[in-house]
């Protein structure tokens, strides 16, 4: 066994037990291989002050008997670091992608297996994942008998793929601190200075994330040009790019880069940088006022289709929100460039957006279906996340309007006093109120309470009314103001309980796949609620649109549209986590929204997100598996909102 593998296994172990399956997954080999290698390592370790203990149902742990002896042994192992020779599955995938993108000749499979110190079967499994990831960038991994493997695709796509690899490594802080990487950081710094200078001169704006991404795109371009790998644009593309104002700025940036790095940039490379500038820019309302940005009829029509799709699926009417229309239209200007050139705007906030703004993200998924149809391309989750931010602001605006209450003032001394009270309420509580109606005590039996939230009365009411009643004196005194404000601003208290049932809080469940879990949950729901026959299919339609696993061992599956008479949630807590799509999931929070355009579920979604993004709450639910714990957690969250 190679010393690097021995060292990696020992570094992965501790005095705490770990299952062989988990260890195998970390190392990137099978459980059987791990068990065999543990036996082999143990035969060596017994002479060096340690032993690897194996216990059924507990796993594997390292027991160091003589620390001095053991340390001397581990110090004698190869000084090579794990990153020098990829040891885990993910490290091998990353290594092969980078190697194949940079390799200009065919590469034999035997050579790669020897280079990675793995068997042909493990290499085959790794290459399967490599093919899958390269395909996202329109790059094909071609296998040719007698020659080996070669990555085939356009230089433009190669660079996008390379850039994203570097972005991911920098985001995960996996760049090693050596001379090569220090040199790279120095180049990044110089590119940054050139961009800042030109952005200021041309009054151009992009987000910090996009700026960081552009630096890496230019770095990759510099490296590829020096290697003789230039990108080419068609005549049609170049003619289009020449018309953009970004082309002039790209030309200025290239002049500075050429001088700084002594690299000649062909005209197509200037176009390449112009495309990235156009794809990453932030278009503001101010620019439209200056006449710099044209929102054509096609873009505006796309926005209408997006908002119509939202209404058709969720019955949330945002058609009249002019601010949302404008922000979506402005966002679509650079988005259209990204679609044309298969670029993606990296979104570091994606996980937070999906969990904290769940409702807005769901609307963005539906709206993005219209974009998929228009561009005939899949819309990446990063992009959907940016659209979700616009929808969240729109929902907040809509919610602020809906949160204002309609009240009925009832006064026993006549309508004149009721009118006086109405003016007092407008003066003291205007920000809480939408419509104020008045009535005398006798007339209340004829009132339609459909749009009334509360009754404020100076006399006892003999009739049964379907809304809360607050009794006050004939005139509002200072000491009453606080009480009334608290009454009018109420709304969270015990909001969540009506959406949950104990018989849909499912525990001690053993399944291996998400399909099995969802089938089980839907069957349980059918025994409680009247759901459509295509409810299960609607859930999987949404699963295909975008992932519903959010990290923190949580998945939030739901139908792709509102389709039930009531809003409800079914919770399933598995005995052990399963892989949902890519991440481990143990708590499944299946939601269904009622098919009702008058509902307001913003508070429901806020409380849901606060529950599911908090590891402490999720862990408490998984460990205790009791419905009462769920309600207690909701109560704790609601108290912070009030």
């Amino acid at each position: 066994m190679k010393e690097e593998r021995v060292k990696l296994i020992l570094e992965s172990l501790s005095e705490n037990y770990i299952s062989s399956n988990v260890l195998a997954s970390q190392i990137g080999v099978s459980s059987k291989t791990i068990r065999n290698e543990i036996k082999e390592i143990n035969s060596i370790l017994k002479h060096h002050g340690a032993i690897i203990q194996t216990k059924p149902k507990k796993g594997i742990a390292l027991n160091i008997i003589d620390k001095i002896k053991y340390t001397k042994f581990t110090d004698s192992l190869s000084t090579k670091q794990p990153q020098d020779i990829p040891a885990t599955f993910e490290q091998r995938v990353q290594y092969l992608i980078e190697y194949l993108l940079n390799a200009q000749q065919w590469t034999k499979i035997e050579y790669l297996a020897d280079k990675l110190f793995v068997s042909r079967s493990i290499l085959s499994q790794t290459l399967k994942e490599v093919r899958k990831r390269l395909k996202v960038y329109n790059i094909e991994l071609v296998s040719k008998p007698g020659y080996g493997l070669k990555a085939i695709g356009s230089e433009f796509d190669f660079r996008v793929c390379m850039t994203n690899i570097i972005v991911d490594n920098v985001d995960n802080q996996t760049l090693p601190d050596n001379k090569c990487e220090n040199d790279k950081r120095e180049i990044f710094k110089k590119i940054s200075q050139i961009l800042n200078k030109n952005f200021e001169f041309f009054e151009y704006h992009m987000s910090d994330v996009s700026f960081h991404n552009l630096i890496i795109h230019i770095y990759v371009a510099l490296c590829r040009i020096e290697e003789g790998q230039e990108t080419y644009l068609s005549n049609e593309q170049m003619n289009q790019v020449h018309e953009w104002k970004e082309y002039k700025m790209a030309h200025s940036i290239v002049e500075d880069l050429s001088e700084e790095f002594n690299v000649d940039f062909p005209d197509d490379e200037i176009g390449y940088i112009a495309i990235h500038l156009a794809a990453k820019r932030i278009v503001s309302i101010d620019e439209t006022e200056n006449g710099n940005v044209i929102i054509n009829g096609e873009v505006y029509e796309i926005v209408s289709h997006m908002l119509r799709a939202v209404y058709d699926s969720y019955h949330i009417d945002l058609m009249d929100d002019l601010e949302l229309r404008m922000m979506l239209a402005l966002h679509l200007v650079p988005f259209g460039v990204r679609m044309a050139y298969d670029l993606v705007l990296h979104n570091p906030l994606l996980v937070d957006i999906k969990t904290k703004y769940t409702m807005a993200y769901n609307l963005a998924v539906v709206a993005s279906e219209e974009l998929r149809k228009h561009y005939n391309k899949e819309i990446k989750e990063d992009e959907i996340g940016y659209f979700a931010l616009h929808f969240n602001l729109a929902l907040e605006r809509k919610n602020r309007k809906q949160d204002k209450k309609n009240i009925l003032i009832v006064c026993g001394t006549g309508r004149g006093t009721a009118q006086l009270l109405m003016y007092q309420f407008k003066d003291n509580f205007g920000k809480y109120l939408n419509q104020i109606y008045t009535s005398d005590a006798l007339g209340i039996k004829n009132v339609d309470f459909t749009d009334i939230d509360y009754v404020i009365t100076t006399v006892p009411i003999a009739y049964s009314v379907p809304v809360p009643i607050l009794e006050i004196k004939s005139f509002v005194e200072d000491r009453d103001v606080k009480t009334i404000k608290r009454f009018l601003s109420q709304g969270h208290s015990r909001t969540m309980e009506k959406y949950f049932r104990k018989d849909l809080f499912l525990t001690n469940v053993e399944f291996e796949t998400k399909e099995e879990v969802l089938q089980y949950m839907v069957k349980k729901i059918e025994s409680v609620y009247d759901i459509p026959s295509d409810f299960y299919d609607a859930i999987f339609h949404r699963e295909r649109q975008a992932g519903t696993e959010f990290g923190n061992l949580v998945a939030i599956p739901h139908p792709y549209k509102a389709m039930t008479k009531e809003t409800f949630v079914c919770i399933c807590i598995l005995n052990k986590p399963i892989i949902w799509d890519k991440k481990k999931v143990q708590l499944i929070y299946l939601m269904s929204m009622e098919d009702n355009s008058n509902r307001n579920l913003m508070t429901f979604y806020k409380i849901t997100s606060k529950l599911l993004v908090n590891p402490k709450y999720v862990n408490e639910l998984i460990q205790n598996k009791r419905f009462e714990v769920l309600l207690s957690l909701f109560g704790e969250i609601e108290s912070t909102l009030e």
Side-chain angles (χ1 to χ4, degrees):
M1 189 191 308
K2 294 181 174 56
E3 290 183 348
E4 290 81 11
R5 177 64 65 78
V6 174
K7 189 172 183 179
L8 184 65
I9 290 174
L10 292 177
E11 286 175 346
S12 301
L13 292 173
S14 71
E15 60 185 14
N16 298 317
Y17 283 91
I18 182 175
S19 77
S20 59
N21 289 334
V22 171
L23 182 60
S25 176
Q26 289 177 355
I27 305 299
V29 297
S30 68
S31 297
K32 183 179 179 182
T33 299
I34 280 292
R35 288 193 293 271
N36 290 336
E37 292 188 349
I38 291 294
K39 289 179 184 177
E40 193 175 336
I41 293 172
N42 255 338
S43 66
I44 301 169
L45 275 184
K46 65 183 181 181
H47 302 295
H48 297 284
I51 188 171
I52 298 174
Q53 295 177 322
T54 304
K55 285 190 177 181
K57 297 185 179 180
K58 292 190 75 173
I60 305 165
L62 178 64
N63 181 16
I64 300 173
I65 302 163
D66 186 331
K67 192 166 185 179
I68 295 175
K69 241 182 182 182
Y70 176 74
T71 303
K72 188 177 179 181
F73 168 69
T74 54
D75 287 346
S76 71
L77 295 174
S78 171
T79 57
K80 288 186 176 181
Q81 297 299 310
Q83 59 262 34
D84 295 326
I85 299 176
T88 68
F89 178 77
E90 183 59 32
Q91 287 173 350
R92 285 195 288 271
V93 170
Q94 292 287 336
Y95 177 88
L96 286 172
I97 290 175
E98 291 183 54
Y99 181 88
L100 291 165
L101 289 175
N102 285 292
Q104 298 181 28
Q105 307 297 328
W106 292 85
T107 305
K108 292 285 184 73
I109 290 178
E110 293 81 4
Y111 173 78
L112 292 175
D114 290 342
K115 197 171 181 65
L116 291 172
F117 297 101
V118 295
S119 65
R120 287 284 297 267
S121 63
I122 289 177
L123 179 65
S124 177
Q125 293 171 12
T126 312
L127 287 171
K128 186 177 180 181
E129 180 64 21
V130 170
R131 278 194 173 86
K132 181 180 173 183
R133 295 193 192 182
L134 288 177
K135 190 177 180 181
V136 172
Y137 299 97
N138 306 310
I139 300 169
E140 185 180 3
L141 184 57
V142 177
S143 178
K144 190 174 180 180
Y147 288 83
L149 298 168
K150 198 170 195 286
I152 305 294
S154 72
E155 175 64 17
F156 194 104
D157 291 330
F158 270 46
R159 291 188 189 182
V160 173
C161 183
M162 289 174 169
T163 298
N164 285 344
I165 289 171
I166 297 175
V167 168
D168 290 340
N169 285 340
V170 172
D171 287 347
N172 296 325
Q173 298 181 325
T174 57
L175 289 179
D177 189 17
N178 55 37
K179 185 179 183 303
C180 174
E181 295 306 334
N182 287 335
D183 290 344
K184 184 184 290 185
R185 289 187 178 93
E186 188 60 32
I187 295 172
F188 286 177
K189 184 178 177 181
K190 289 178 179 178
I191 295 171
S192 174
Q193 291 168 346
I194 290 170
L195 290 176
N196 276 320
K197 168 192 163 187
N198 282 276
F199 284 12
E200 184 177 350
F201 181 81
F202 286 94
E203 297 182 345
Y204 174 92
H205 305 284
M206 68 167 51
S207 70
D208 290 343
V209 173
S210 297
F211 183 77
H212 173 66
N213 205 308
L214 180 60
I215 290 171
I216 297 174
H217 270 291
I218 292 174
Y219 168 78
V220 170
L222 285 168
C223 296
R224 297 292 285 181
I225 292 169
E226 287 189 328
E227 293 168 2
Q229 302 296 322
E230 298 175 6
T231 190
Y232 297 98
L233 302 178
S234 68
N235 290 333
E236 182 183 352
Q237 288 171 332
M238 280 303 298
N239 290 336
Q240 183 186 42
V241 170
H242 272 288
E243 298 295 319
W244 297 347
K245 67 176 184 178
E246 287 85 2
Y247 182 80
K248 188 176 181 181
M249 180 165 55
H251 200 284
S252 175
I253 290 170
V254 162
E255 286 181 346
D256 293 340
L257 290 170
S258 298
E259 184 178 343
E260 178 66 46
F261 297 106
N262 195 27
V263 175
D264 291 327
F265 282 76
D267 196 39
D268 288 56
E269 295 288 351
I270 301 173
Y272 172 81
I273 292 177
I275 288 168
H276 283 285
L277 291 170
K280 292 174 171 60
R281 67 182 298 201
I282 294 175
V283 186
S284 67
I285 294 287
D286 293 340
E287 288 183 80
T288 61
E289 291 173 353
N290 295 331
N292 293 332
V293 178
I294 298 173
I295 299 173
N296 58 39
E298 182 184 33
V299 169
Y300 204 75
E301 186 177 353
I302 293 172
V303 171
S304 293
H305 285 308
M306 293 169 74
L307 298 182
R308 172 57 62 183
V310 165
Y311 180 78
D312 289 343
S313 292
Y314 288 102
H315 297 313
I316 294 177
D317 191 355
L318 300 172
M319 301 289 286
D320 295 332
D321 189 331
L322 182 59
E323 186 173 349
L324 175 61
R325 280 183 173 271
M326 288 302 296
M327 296 312 296
L328 288 175
L330 292 173
H331 189 94
L332 285 175
V333 174
F335 176 80
V337 177
R338 295 197 291 276
M339 285 293 98
Y341 293 94
D342 294 318
L343 299 173
V344 177
L345 196 59
H346 186 58
N347 193 335
L349 301 175
L350 181 61
V351 174
D352 285 339
I353 291 169
K354 290 171 73 172
T355 50
K356 293 180 181 176
Y357 308 134
T358 309
M359 181 63 190
Y361 186 79
N362 289 341
L363 301 190
V365 169
V366 169
S368 296
E369 272 293 292
E370 296 303 308
L371 298 174
R372 184 189 63 77
K373 294 174 190 174
H374 179 81
Y375 293 103
N376 196 28
K377 292 179 180 179
E378 293 300 320
I379 312 301
K380 301 293 190 296
E381 287 193 329
D382 292 76
E383 297 284 5
I384 296 174
Y386 284 114
F387 284 111
L389 293 176
H390 295 305
F391 279 109
N392 188 65
L393 289 174
L395 289 174
E396 291 287 355
R397 286 193 296 272
K398 189 177 181 69
N399 189 49
R400 282 198 295 270
K401 292 177 184 176
Q402 291 181 345
D403 272 352
K404 289 193 172 186
K405 310 301 182 184
N406 297 327
I407 66 171
L408 172 68
I409 294 178
V410 180
C411 190
T413 56
R415 287 186 176 272
T417 309
Q419 287 292 323
L420 184 58
L421 268 174
M422 181 179 74
Y423 290 123
Q424 276 195 296
F425 267 78
K426 279 185 178 179
D427 186 43
N428 286 294
F429 316 110
K431 71 176 184 178
Y432 298 99
L433 301 176
N434 182 30
Q435 293 289 330
I436 302 176
Y437 305 97
T438 61
S439 172
D440 54 34
L442 291 174
I444 195 171
K445 61 183 178 183
N446 299 317
V447 171
D448 180 2
F449 283 90
T450 303
D451 295 321
I452 293 175
D453 297 294
Y454 303 121
V455 170
I456 312 293
T457 179
T458 61
V459 294
I461 294 176
Y463 304 99
S464 174
V465 297
V467 297
I469 301 169
L470 176 64
E471 288 191 16
I472 62 170
K473 296 179 181 178
S474 297
F475 297 98
V476 179
E477 298 179 8
D478 290 343
R479 64 175 178 269
D480 300 322
V481 171
K482 187 179 288 188
T483 301
I484 296 171
K485 282 184 177 178
R486 193 182 303 117
F487 180 75
L488 292 175
S489 62
Q490 73 180 348
H492 300 316
S493 182
R494 317 206 62 88
T495 297
M496 301 298 283
E497 289 189 21
K498 62 184 177 183
Y499 302 117
F500 295 82
R501 294 174 54 119
K502 194 168 186 176
D503 49 1
L504 289 182
F505 186 82
L506 314 174
T507 60
N508 299 317
V509 178
E510 292 270 3
F511 288 114
E512 297 295 327
T513 67
K514 74 173 180 180
E515 289 81 4
E516 292 174 327
V517 173
L518 291 174
Q519 285 172 358
Y520 171 75
M521 294 179 76
V522 170
K523 191 172 181 180
K524 290 290 184 181
I525 292 169
E526 283 176 336
S527 66
V528 176
Y529 289 104
D530 180 19
I531 58 175
S533 59
D534 59 344
F535 188 74
Y536 177 82
D537 294 334
I539 293 172
F540 264 89
H541 180 93
R542 173 61 180 81
E543 290 288 319
R544 288 189 292 271
Q545 288 178 322
T548 59
E549 54 188 9
F550 295 102
N552 202 25
L553 294 177
V554 171
I556 314 179
H558 53 276
Y560 71 95
K561 63 180 181 178
M563 60 190 310
T564 51
K565 294 176 183 177
E566 300 174 66
T567 296
F568 61 82
V569 178
C570 175
I571 290 180
C572 181
I573 301 175
L574 303 176
N575 286 341
K576 60 181 180 181
I578 63 170
I579 298 298
W580 196 256
D581 286 319
K582 296 178 182 177
K583 298 177 182 177
K584 287 186 176 181
V585 166
Q586 192 169 2
L587 191 153
I588 299 92
Y589 192 94
L590 196 162
M591 303 185 299
S592 180
M593 284 175 54
E594 62 196 75
D595 188 6
N596 174 10
S597 58
N598 293 320
R599 72 200 180 294
N600 178 13
L601 295 174
M602 286 298 287
T603 300
F604 166 80
Y605 277 101
K606 282 181 180 178
I607 295 173
T608 288
S609 72
K610 284 184 178 293
L611 174 79
L612 300 180
V613 300
N614 190 317
K616 175 174 170 267
Y617 292 154
V618 171
N619 185 59
E620 192 169 342
L621 265 179
I622 290 174
Q623 295 302 318
N624 288 288
K625 297 183 176 67
R626 287 172 40 237
F627 186 67
E628 292 73 22
V629 171
L630 174 70
L631 298 184
S632 173
L633 292 174
F634 281 141
E636 184 178 330
I637 295 168
E638 288 183 34
S639 67
T640 66
L641 297 178
E642 291 176 354

